[in-house]
Amino acid sequence: FAPDGSLVAYFFRENEWKIGVMNVADGRQIKILDYAGGKSTPGALAWSHNRTLFFVANRDGKNSLWRQQIGENEPRLVADLG
């Protein structure tokens, strides 16, 4: 759940793994995000206070920490975790 309780993020599989973001008040899905190009098994997922998700994914054989703002289309690499 987002810190303000208005949104929930979750993993789901639709041929490839994705992250869904849903409005808690009305149950409407507001965003679908690609998750590691569908190639990584879901791992950690956490919210920050500014409608930003952080998640760990295994891309190219390495675990990495990624940041995805709800208003952006692409995640940004935060750190290579090895």
Side-chain angles (χ1 to χ4, degrees):
F1 285 91
D4 66 3
S6 66
L7 303 173
V8 64
Y10 54 92
F11 294 104
F12 71 98
R13 192 166 189 159
E14 193 175 75
N15 294 323
E16 296 181 339
W17 285 106
K18 300 193 181 284
I19 299 171
V21 179
M22 182 177 66
N23 182 312
V24 172
D26 61 12
R28 185 175 46 93
Q29 190 174 53
I30 63 167
K31 188 92 171 177
I32 297 175
L33 309 169
D34 286 330
Y35 176 68
K39 309 282 189 262
S40 184
T41 302
L45 179 66
W47 286 94
S48 74
H49 291 285
N50 60 354
R51 296 176 67 98
T52 301
L53 285 168
F54 288 88
F55 59 89
V56 175
N58 186 312
R59 293 185 181 193
D60 303 321
K62 297 186 283 184
N63 287 321
S64 303
L65 179 63
W66 293 84
R67 178 183 72 205
Q68 173 77 53
Q69 290 186 325
I70 298 305
E72 294 180 355
N73 291 326
E74 296 293 323
R76 295 184 184 186
L77 179 64
V78 175
D80 180 4
L81 305 175

